[in-house]
Amino acid sequence: MKLKVIIHEAEEGGYWAEVPAILGCATQGDTFEELLSNLNEAVAACLSIDLAKIEISERDTVLVV
């Protein structure tokens, strides 16, 4: 999956980024490398779900793509 990310230089130094395709998904980093690492974690967290909170019947199948 490819996502477009908008990277901003923070006024106080460092960077922050937002992922417009995922509402509320944003992160920051003091360096560009830290930002990229944090961005990967943020996207994974924003896309993760807790299956315990979803009603799944025995006729349903959960598929990870």
Side-chain angles (χ1 to χ4, degrees):
M1 171 186 271
K2 292 184 180 185
L3 296 167
K4 291 187 179 181
V5 176
I6 301 172
I7 298 173
H8 308 272
E9 288 189 32
E11 290 181 17
E12 62 279 357
Y15 302 89
W16 71 278
E18 58 186 317
V19 184
I22 305 173
L23 185 64
C25 189
T27 191
Q28 62 84 36
D30 292 330
T31 65
F32 193 78
E33 292 75 21
E34 182 182 23
L35 174 72
L36 293 180
S37 176
N38 292 346
L39 190 56
N40 286 320
E41 290 178 16
V43 168
C46 289
L47 293 177
S48 68
I49 58 168
D50 184 0
L51 290 179
K53 296 181 179 181
I54 298 174
E55 187 175 324
I56 300 172
S57 77
E58 43 201 53
R59 295 181 9 191
D60 297 330
T61 301
V62 176
L63 179 65
V64 178
V65 293

Coordinates of all heavy atoms in Angstrom, one line a residue:
M1 N 0.8 -1.2 0.0 CA 0.0 0.0 0.0 C 0.9 1.2 0.0 O 1.9 1.3 0.7 CB -0.9 0.0 1.3 CG -1.7 1.3 1.5 SD -2.5 1.3 3.0 CE -4.1 0.6 2.5
K2 N 0.6 2.2 -0.8 CA 1.3 3.4 -0.9 C 0.4 4.5 -0.4 O -0.8 4.6 -0.8 CB 1.8 3.7 -2.3 CG 2.9 2.8 -2.7 CD 3.4 3.2 -4.1 CE 4.5 2.2 -4.5 NZ 5.1 2.6 -5.8
L3 N 0.9 5.4 0.5 CA 0.1 6.5 1.0 C 0.9 7.8 0.7 O 2.1 7.8 0.9 CB -0.1 6.4 2.5 CG -1.0 5.2 2.9 CD1 -0.8 5.0 4.4 CD2 -2.4 5.4 2.5
K4 N 0.2 8.9 0.4 CA 0.8 10.2 0.3 C 0.8 10.8 1.7 O -0.2 10.8 2.4 CB 0.0 11.0 -0.7 CG 0.2 10.5 -2.1 CD -0.4 11.5 -3.1 CE -0.1 10.9 -4.5 NZ -0.7 11.7 -5.6
V5 N 2.0 11.4 2.0 CA 2.2 12.0 3.3 C 2.6 13.4 3.0 O 3.4 13.7 2.1 CB 3.3 11.2 4.1 CG1 3.6 11.9 5.4 CG2 2.9 9.8 4.3
I6 N 2.1 14.4 3.9 CA 2.6 15.8 3.8 C 3.5 16.0 4.9 O 3.2 15.8 6.1 CB 1.4 16.7 3.8 CG1 0.4 16.4 2.7 CG2 1.9 18.2 3.8 CD1 -0.9 17.2 2.7
I7 N 4.7 16.4 4.6 CA 5.8 16.6 5.6 C 6.0 18.1 5.8 O 6.1 18.9 4.8 CB 7.1 16.0 5.3 CG1 6.9 14.4 5.2 CG2 8.2 16.3 6.3 CD1 8.1 13.7 4.7
H8 N 5.9 18.6 7.0 CA 6.1 20.0 7.3 C 7.3 20.2 8.2 O 7.6 19.4 9.1 CB 4.9 20.5 8.2 CG 3.6 20.2 7.5 ND1 3.0 21.0 6.6 CD2 2.7 19.2 7.7 CE1 1.8 20.5 6.3 NE2 1.6 19.4 6.9
E9 N 8.0 21.3 8.0 CA 9.1 21.7 8.9 C 8.4 22.4 10.1 O 7.6 23.4 9.9 CB 10.1 22.6 8.3 CG 10.9 21.9 7.3 CD 12.1 22.8 6.7 OE1 12.6 23.7 7.5 OE2 12.4 22.6 5.6
A10 N 8.7 22.0 11.3 CA 8.1 22.6 12.5 C 8.8 23.9 12.8 O 10.0 24.0 12.7 CB 8.2 21.6 13.7
E11 N 8.0 24.9 13.3 CA 8.6 26.2 13.6 C 9.6 26.1 14.7 O 10.6 26.8 14.7 CB 7.5 27.2 14.0 CG 6.6 27.6 12.8 CD 5.5 28.6 13.3 OE1 5.7 29.2 14.4 OE2 4.6 28.7 12.5
E12 N 9.4 25.2 15.7 CA 10.3 25.1 16.8 C 11.5 24.1 16.5 O 12.3 23.8 17.3 CB 9.6 24.6 18.0 CG 8.9 23.2 17.9 CD 7.6 23.2 17.2 OE1 7.1 24.3 16.8 OE2 7.0 22.2 17.0
G13 N 11.6 23.6 15.3 CA 12.6 22.7 14.8 C 12.0 21.3 14.6 O 11.0 21.0 15.2
G14 N 12.7 20.5 13.8 CA 12.2 19.2 13.5 C 11.1 19.2 12.5 O 11.0 20.2 11.7
Y15 N 10.4 18.1 12.4 CA 9.4 18.0 11.4 C 8.1 17.4 12.0 O 8.2 16.7 13.0 CB 9.9 17.0 10.3 CG 11.2 17.4 9.6 CD1 12.4 17.0 10.2 CD2 11.2 18.2 8.5 CE1 13.6 17.4 9.6 CE2 12.4 18.6 7.9 CZ 13.6 18.2 8.5 OH 14.7 18.6 7.9
W16 N 7.0 17.5 11.3 CA 5.8 16.8 11.6 C 5.2 16.4 10.2 O 5.4 17.0 9.2 CB 4.9 17.6 12.5 CG 4.2 18.8 11.9 CD1 4.7 20.0 11.7 CD2 2.9 18.8 11.4 NE1 3.8 20.9 11.1 CE2 2.6 20.2 10.9 CE3 1.8 17.9 11.3 CZ2 1.4 20.6 10.4 CZ3 0.6 18.3 10.7 CH2 0.4 19.7 10.3
A17 N 4.4 15.4 10.3 CA 3.8 14.8 9.0 C 2.4 14.4 9.3 O 2.0 14.0 10.4 CB 4.6 13.6 8.5
E18 N 1.6 14.5 8.2 CA 0.2 14.1 8.3 C -0.1 13.2 7.1 O 0.5 13.3 6.0 CB -0.8 15.3 8.3 CG -0.6 16.2 7.2 CD -1.4 17.5 7.3 OE1 -2.6 17.4 7.7 OE2 -0.9 18.5 7.0
V19 N -1.1 12.2 7.3 CA -1.5 11.3 6.3 C -2.9 11.7 6.0 O -3.8 11.2 6.7 CB -1.3 9.9 6.7 CG1 -1.7 8.9 5.6 CG2 0.1 9.6 7.3
P20 N -3.2 12.4 4.9 CA -4.6 12.9 4.6 C -5.6 11.8 4.4 O -6.7 11.9 4.7 CB -4.4 13.7 3.4 CG -3.0 14.2 3.4 CD -2.2 13.0 4.0
A21 N -5.1 10.6 3.9 CA -6.0 9.5 3.6 C -6.5 8.8 4.9 O -7.5 8.1 4.9 CB -5.3 8.5 2.7
I22 N -5.8 9.1 6.0 CA -6.2 8.4 7.3 C -6.5 9.5 8.3 O -5.6 10.2 8.8 CB -5.1 7.5 7.8 CG1 -4.7 6.5 6.8 CG2 -5.5 6.8 9.1 CD1 -3.4 5.7 7.2
L23 N -7.7 9.8 8.5 CA -8.2 10.9 9.4 C -7.5 10.8 10.8 O -7.5 9.8 11.4 CB -9.7 10.8 9.6 CG -10.3 12.0 10.4 CD1 -10.1 13.3 9.6 CD2 -11.8 11.7 10.6
G24 N -6.8 11.9 11.2 CA -6.2 12.0 12.5 C -4.8 11.4 12.6 O -4.2 11.4 13.6
C25 N -4.3 10.8 11.5 CA -3.0 10.2 11.5 C -1.9 11.2 11.3 O -1.8 11.8 10.2 CB -2.9 9.1 10.4 SG -1.4 8.1 10.6
A26 N -1.1 11.5 12.3 CA 0.0 12.5 12.2 C 1.0 12.1 13.2 O 0.8 11.4 14.2 CB -0.6 13.9 12.5
T27 N 2.2 12.6 13.0 CA 3.4 12.3 13.9 C 4.4 13.4 13.8 O 4.3 14.3 12.9 CB 3.9 10.9 13.7 OG1 4.8 10.6 14.8 CG2 4.7 10.8 12.4
Q28 N 5.5 13.3 14.6 CA 6.5 14.3 14.5 C 7.9 13.6 14.8 O 7.9 12.5 15.2 CB 6.3 15.4 15.5 CG 6.3 15.0 16.9 CD 7.6 15.0 17.6 OE1 8.5 15.8 17.3 NE2 7.8 14.0 18.4
G29 N 9.0 14.3 14.5 CA 10.3 13.9 14.8 C 11.3 15.0 14.8 O 11.1 16.0 14.1
D30 N 12.3 14.9 15.6 CA 13.4 15.9 15.7 C 14.2 15.9 14.4 O 14.7 17.0 14.0 CB 14.2 15.7 16.9 CG 13.5 15.9 18.2 OD1 12.5 16.8 18.2 OD2 13.8 15.3 19.2
T31 N 14.4 14.7 13.8 CA 15.2 14.6 12.6 C 14.3 14.0 11.5 O 13.2 13.4 11.9 CB 16.4 13.8 12.8 OG1 16.0 12.4 13.0 CG2 17.3 14.3 13.9
F32 N 14.7 14.1 10.3 CA 13.9 13.5 9.2 C 13.9 12.0 9.4 O 12.8 11.3 9.2 CB 14.5 13.9 7.8 CG 13.6 13.6 6.7 CD1 12.5 14.4 6.4 CD2 13.8 12.4 5.9 CE1 11.7 14.1 5.3 CE2 13.0 12.1 4.8 CZ 11.9 13.0 4.6
E33 N 15.0 11.4 9.8 CA 15.0 9.9 10.0 C 14.1 9.5 11.1 O 13.4 8.5 11.0 CB 16.5 9.5 10.3 CG 17.4 9.6 9.1 CD 17.9 11.1 8.9 OE1 17.8 11.9 9.8 OE2 18.3 11.3 7.7
E34 N 14.0 10.3 12.2 CA 13.1 10.0 13.3 C 11.7 10.1 12.8 O 10.8 9.3 13.2 CB 13.4 10.9 14.5 CG 12.5 10.6 15.7 CD 12.8 11.5 16.9 OE1 13.3 12.6 16.7 OE2 12.4 11.1 18.0
L35 N 11.4 11.1 12.0 CA 10.1 11.3 11.5 C 9.6 10.1 10.7 O 8.5 9.6 10.9 CB 10.0 12.6 10.6 CG 8.7 12.8 9.9 CD1 7.6 13.2 10.9 CD2 8.8 13.8 8.8
L36 N 10.5 9.6 9.8 CA 10.1 8.5 9.0 C 9.8 7.2 9.9 O 8.9 6.5 9.6 CB 11.2 8.2 8.0 CG 11.4 9.2 6.9 CD1 12.6 8.8 6.0 CD2 10.2 9.5 6.1
S37 N 10.6 7.0 10.9 CA 10.4 5.9 11.8 C 9.1 6.0 12.5 O 8.3 5.1 12.6 CB 11.6 5.8 12.8 OG 11.3 4.8 13.7
N38 N 8.8 7.2 13.0 CA 7.6 7.5 13.7 C 6.4 7.4 12.8 O 5.3 7.0 13.2 CB 7.6 8.9 14.4 CG 8.6 8.9 15.5 OD1 9.1 7.9 16.0 ND2 9.0 10.2 16.0
L39 N 6.6 7.8 11.6 CA 5.5 7.8 10.6 C 5.1 6.3 10.3 O 3.9 6.0 10.2 CB 6.0 8.5 9.3 CG 4.9 8.7 8.2 CD1 3.8 9.5 8.8 CD2 5.6 9.5 7.1
N40 N 6.0 5.4 10.2 CA 5.7 4.0 10.0 C 4.9 3.5 11.2 O 3.9 2.8 11.0 CB 6.9 3.2 9.8 CG 7.5 3.4 8.4 OD1 6.8 3.5 7.4 ND2 8.8 3.5 8.3
E41 N 5.3 3.8 12.4 CA 4.6 3.4 13.6 C 3.2 4.0 13.6 O 2.2 3.4 14.0 CB 5.3 3.8 14.8 CG 6.6 3.0 15.0 CD 7.4 3.4 16.2 OE1 6.8 4.1 17.1 OE2 8.6 3.0 16.3
A42 N 3.1 5.3 13.3 CA 1.8 6.0 13.3 C 0.8 5.4 12.3 O -0.4 5.2 12.7 CB 1.9 7.5 13.0
V43 N 1.2 5.1 11.1 CA 0.3 4.5 10.1 C -0.1 3.1 10.6 O -1.3 2.8 10.5 CB 1.0 4.5 8.7 CG1 0.2 3.6 7.8 CG2 1.2 5.9 8.2
A44 N 0.8 2.3 11.1 CA 0.4 1.0 11.6 C -0.6 1.1 12.7 O -1.6 0.3 12.7 CB 1.7 0.2 12.0
A45 N -0.4 2.0 13.6 CA -1.3 2.2 14.7 C -2.7 2.7 14.3 O -3.7 2.2 14.7 CB -0.7 3.2 15.8
C46 N -2.7 3.6 13.3 CA -4.0 4.1 12.8 C -4.8 3.1 12.1 O -6.0 3.1 12.0 CB -3.7 5.4 11.9 SG -3.2 6.8 12.8
L47 N -4.1 2.2 11.4 CA -4.8 1.1 10.7 C -5.1 -0.1 11.4 O -5.8 -1.0 11.0 CB -3.9 0.8 9.4 CG -3.8 1.9 8.4 CD1 -2.9 1.4 7.2 CD2 -5.1 2.3 7.8
S48 N -4.5 -0.2 12.6 CA -4.8 -1.5 13.4 C -6.2 -1.4 14.1 O -6.7 -0.3 14.3 CB -3.7 -1.6 14.5 OG -3.8 -0.6 15.5
I49 N -6.7 -2.6 14.3 CA -8.0 -2.7 14.9 C -8.0 -3.7 16.0 O -7.2 -4.6 16.0 CB -9.2 -3.0 13.9 CG1 -8.9 -4.3 13.2 CG2 -9.4 -1.9 12.9 CD1 -10.0 -4.8 12.4
D50 N -8.9 -3.6 17.0 CA -9.0 -4.6 18.0 C -10.2 -5.5 17.7 O -11.3 -5.1 17.8 CB -9.2 -3.9 19.3 CG -9.3 -4.9 20.5 OD1 -9.2 -6.1 20.3 OD2 -9.5 -4.4 21.6
L51 N -9.9 -6.7 17.2 CA -10.9 -7.6 16.8 C -11.8 -8.0 17.9 O -13.0 -8.4 17.7 CB -10.3 -8.9 16.1 CG -9.6 -8.7 14.8 CD1 -9.1 -10.0 14.2 CD2 -10.6 -8.1 13.7
A52 N -11.4 -7.9 19.1 CA -12.3 -8.2 20.3 C -13.5 -7.3 20.3 O -14.5 -7.7 20.9 CB -11.4 -8.2 21.6
K53 N -13.4 -6.1 19.8 CA -14.5 -5.2 19.8 C -15.4 -5.2 18.6 O -16.3 -4.5 18.5 CB -13.9 -3.7 19.9 CG -13.1 -3.5 21.2 CD -12.6 -2.1 21.3 CE -11.9 -1.9 22.6 NZ -11.3 -0.5 22.7
I54 N -15.1 -6.2 17.7 CA -15.9 -6.3 16.5 C -16.7 -7.7 16.6 O -16.1 -8.7 16.9 CB -15.0 -6.3 15.3 CG1 -14.4 -4.9 15.2 CG2 -15.9 -6.5 14.0 CD1 -13.3 -4.8 14.1
E55 N -18.0 -7.6 16.3 CA -18.7 -8.9 16.3 C -18.4 -9.7 15.0 O -18.7 -9.2 13.9 CB -20.2 -8.5 16.3 CG -21.1 -9.8 16.5 CD -22.6 -9.4 16.7 OE1 -22.9 -8.4 17.3 OE2 -23.4 -10.2 16.1
I56 N -17.9 -10.9 15.2 CA -17.5 -11.8 14.1 C -18.2 -13.1 14.3 O -18.0 -13.7 15.4 CB -16.0 -12.0 14.0 CG1 -15.3 -10.6 13.9 CG2 -15.6 -12.9 12.9 CD1 -13.8 -10.7 14.0
S57 N -19.1 -13.5 13.4 CA -19.8 -14.7 13.5 C -18.9 -15.9 13.0 O -17.9 -15.7 12.4 CB -21.1 -14.7 12.7 OG -20.8 -14.9 11.4
E58 N -19.3 -17.1 13.3 CA -18.6 -18.3 12.9 C -18.6 -18.4 11.4 O -17.8 -19.2 10.8 CB -19.1 -19.5 13.6 CG -20.6 -19.6 13.7 CD -21.1 -20.5 14.7 OE1 -20.7 -20.4 15.9 OE2 -21.9 -21.4 14.4
R59 N -19.5 -17.8 10.7 CA -19.6 -17.8 9.2 C -18.7 -16.8 8.6 O -18.5 -16.8 7.4 CB -21.0 -17.6 8.7 CG -21.9 -18.7 9.2 CD -23.3 -18.6 8.7 NE -23.6 -17.6 7.8 CZ -24.8 -17.2 7.4 NH1 -25.8 -17.7 7.9 NH2 -24.9 -16.2 6.5
D60 N -18.1 -15.9 9.4 CA -17.2 -14.8 8.9 C -15.8 -15.3 8.8 O -15.4 -16.2 9.6 CB -17.3 -13.6 9.8 CG -18.7 -12.9 9.8 OD1 -19.4 -13.1 8.7 OD2 -19.0 -12.3 10.8
T61 N -15.0 -14.7 8.0 CA -13.5 -14.9 7.9 C -12.8 -13.6 8.0 O -13.2 -12.6 7.4 CB -13.2 -15.6 6.5 OG1 -14.0 -16.8 6.4 CG2 -11.7 -15.9 6.4
V62 N -11.7 -13.6 8.8 CA -10.9 -12.5 9.0 C -9.7 -12.7 8.1 O -9.0 -13.7 8.2 CB -10.4 -12.3 10.4 CG1 -9.4 -11.1 10.5 CG2 -11.6 -12.0 11.3
L63 N -9.4 -11.8 7.2 CA -8.3 -11.9 6.2 C -7.4 -10.7 6.4 O -7.9 -9.5 6.4 CB -8.9 -11.9 4.8 CG -7.9 -12.0 3.6 CD1 -7.1 -13.4 3.7 CD2 -8.6 -11.9 2.3
V64 N -6.1 -10.9 6.4 CA -5.1 -9.9 6.5 C -4.5 -9.7 5.1 O -4.0 -10.6 4.5 CB -4.0 -10.2 7.5 CG1 -3.0 -9.1 7.6 CG2 -4.6 -10.4 8.9
V65 N -4.6 -8.5 4.6 CA -4.1 -8.2 3.2 C -3.0 -7.2 3.3 O -2.8 -6.4 4.2 CB -5.2 -7.7 2.2 CG1 -6.2 -8.8 2.0 CG2 -5.9 -6.5 2.7

